[in-house]
Amino acid sequence: MPIPTISFAPIFGTDDASRAKVVTQIRDACLKYGFFQLVDHGVSQDLFDEVIKQSAGFFSLPEDVKEKYNKDQDKFQRGYERLRAQNFEKRTAGDLKEGYYFGADLPLDHPRVVAKKFNMGPNKYPQEVADPEKFRETIDTYYSTMLSLAKTIFQVLCETMETSNEFMSEFLDIPIAILRLLHYPPQAPDASEFERGIGQHTDFGALTILLQDEVGGLQVWDREASAWIDVTPQRGALVVNLGNLMMRWTNDRYLSNLHRVINKSGRERYSVPFFLSGNPDFLVECFPKCADETQGPKYDPVTVGRWMEGRYADTYGTSKDKAFEELSSSESKAGMAQV
């Protein structure tokens, strides 16, 4: 059974009954899949088309040009991520994708940057693309649009749990929010059975909003059927899923579900995920209504920043902190046990 497709239109309307129906649909999707496709969300198709166009333009540049913007040149987690830099399943040389990271474009003298908060700093905007100004305008517009939509979705998630959203102003105060351009080359016909565009994993943060092109390849784990199900692209739709922070926050009530990409289409695949994690100093602890009445919360409180540092160190193989490794791998191991 495919993940549900949900119209978000009633959330912007005035009909309380229609809004309540959407809240119920999203609650059910979060409980069963941790995924749903969202339509009627108010984002224009022209913006979708333009961000995919700009992404493809950058990834078509020569390798030496792309490397000028490598994210490993500094500690800001911004810029180009070379092919196979990430390795989720650790059974091949790495995941068959390349990417580019953007976030809130903060100057070097911003207090969060000076304090070396994770993922806080200036963006790198490539100058070798066909129209650098158009590229930057598109990225910045898409980033702000997704951040606004993520805030609205998060408000609805609070409604699904009958939880006050009074914490949101603190949680969303200059949040770790990552826009990532991704390019998946087609897999070779004779590729290993373990070859993946991206290996099975759960997302790091609280909420992901994904734009995918028409090529397909995204798969989500269906626990009831014990099988991978395809997330068929729908023009104009956004794929929304919960991440590990939301799983911790809800005491496993909501699912941060396994997913992967396998690109056997023979075509180039492009996608643009937006990851909302939150204020790096925000302390994530179990929502009161989600705590077990007898055993209490399953997970210790953790700040957004510490959690994200641990997850990045684990998947990029850069961790030198055993505590980070143990922290970051706990939910991943639990997720892998589902398969």
Side-chain angles (χ1 to χ4, degrees):
M1 178 179 294
I3 65 171
T5 297
I6 300 172
S7 171
F8 212 45
I11 298 301
F12 305 110
T14 58
D15 187 326
D16 290 343
S18 297
R19 182 186 182 94
K21 182 178 179 181
V22 174
V23 170
T24 298
Q25 290 174 327
I26 291 178
R27 179 190 297 117
D28 291 345
C30 291
L31 290 168
K32 184 173 182 179
Y33 294 112
F35 270 83
F36 53 92
Q37 294 214 64
L38 198 66
V39 296
D40 305 322
H41 38 62
V43 184
S44 74
Q45 185 63 48
D46 287 346
L47 182 56
F48 289 159
D49 293 342
E50 189 62 39
V51 75
I52 292 291
K53 175 183 175 182
Q54 294 297 331
S55 177
F58 170 77
F59 289 119
S60 69
L61 294 173
E63 196 66 28
D64 61 332
V65 174
K66 292 185 287 188
E67 283 290 345
K68 289 173 57 178
Y69 301 95
N70 194 297
K71 74 179 187 65
D72 295 333
Q73 295 171 351
D74 50 52
K75 302 296 184 182
F76 302 130
Q77 296 292 334
R78 307 295 172 82
Y80 177 61
E81 168 196 54
R82 66 171 60 98
L83 195 70
R84 297 194 184 277
Q86 207 166 24
N87 194 344
F88 275 102
E89 295 185 16
K90 297 179 171 61
R91 293 190 289 187
T92 66
D95 297 333
L96 189 60
K97 63 173 176 55
E98 57 181 341
Y100 204 108
Y101 284 88
F102 296 94
D105 189 28
L106 302 180
L108 293 175
D109 61 354
H110 190 282
R112 292 268 177 94
V113 182
V114 173
K116 299 181 179 180
K117 297 297 182 182
F118 182 76
N119 197 247
M120 296 291 166
N123 283 331
K124 299 174 183 175
Y125 297 96
Q127 297 302 302
E128 292 81 1
V129 292
D131 187 338
E133 290 186 10
K134 181 65 174 179
F135 183 96
R136 180 168 186 160
E137 177 190 1
T138 301
I139 293 300
D140 289 350
T141 299
Y142 193 79
Y143 182 92
S144 61
T145 301
M146 288 300 104
L147 182 57
S148 178
L149 179 59
K151 291 176 180 179
T152 303
I153 294 173
F154 214 90
Q155 290 173 338
V156 175
L157 288 174
C158 288
E159 290 184 48
T160 69
M161 295 179 289
E162 300 177 343
T163 296
S164 168
N165 64 12
E166 61 184 11
F167 66 89
M168 282 187 59
S169 60
E170 179 187 357
F171 174 66
L172 295 172
D173 179 24
I174 313 180
I176 296 174
I178 300 164
L179 177 64
R180 197 175 179 194
L181 309 180
L182 290 174
H183 167 228
Y184 298 85
Q187 296 177 196
D190 60 348
S192 160
E193 63 177 308
F194 299 117
E195 183 75 282
R196 305 280 187 264
I198 186 168
Q200 60 185 26
H201 67 286
T202 54
D203 284 351
F204 304 163
L207 179 70
T208 302
I209 305 174
L210 172 72
L211 170 65
Q212 56 173 343
D213 65 11
E214 76 283 358
V215 172
L218 174 63
Q219 297 181 324
V220 172
W221 183 247
D222 185 332
R223 294 185 299 172
E224 291 184 2
S226 294
W228 291 100
I229 55 176
D230 294 321
V231 180
T232 303
Q234 299 182 48
R235 184 168 173 79
L238 291 164
V239 179
V240 178
N241 67 279
L242 307 181
N244 295 350
L245 274 178
M246 185 58 72
M247 182 177 70
R248 294 179 71 99
W249 222 337
T250 63
N251 212 39
D252 289 350
R253 177 180 176 184
Y254 282 172
L255 179 63
S256 175
N257 201 2
L258 286 166
H259 51 289
R260 66 186 187 183
V261 171
I262 300 179
N263 183 17
K264 294 183 178 180
S265 67
R267 301 165 59 191
E268 311 293 322
R269 179 183 188 269
Y270 299 93
S271 69
V272 186
F274 177 86
F275 304 97
L276 176 66
S277 300
N279 175 351
D281 294 326
F282 185 85
L283 188 67
V284 174
E285 47 191 338
C286 181
F287 286 122
K289 288 193 175 184
C290 295
D292 186 278
E293 293 184 0
T294 57
Q295 298 181 345
K298 297 180 181 179
Y299 306 105
D300 293 333
V302 64
T303 64
V304 170
R306 180 169 175 81
W307 172 256
M308 293 301 291
E309 284 185 74
R311 289 302 292 126
Y312 271 70
D314 179 59
T315 60
Y316 284 102
T318 59
S319 177
K320 297 180 181 179
D321 184 334
K322 188 65 176 177
F324 271 173
E325 292 177 355
E326 292 174 353
L327 175 69
S328 65
S329 64
S330 58
E331 279 80 0
S332 295
K333 290 177 180 177
M336 296 301 179
Q338 299 174 35
V339 181

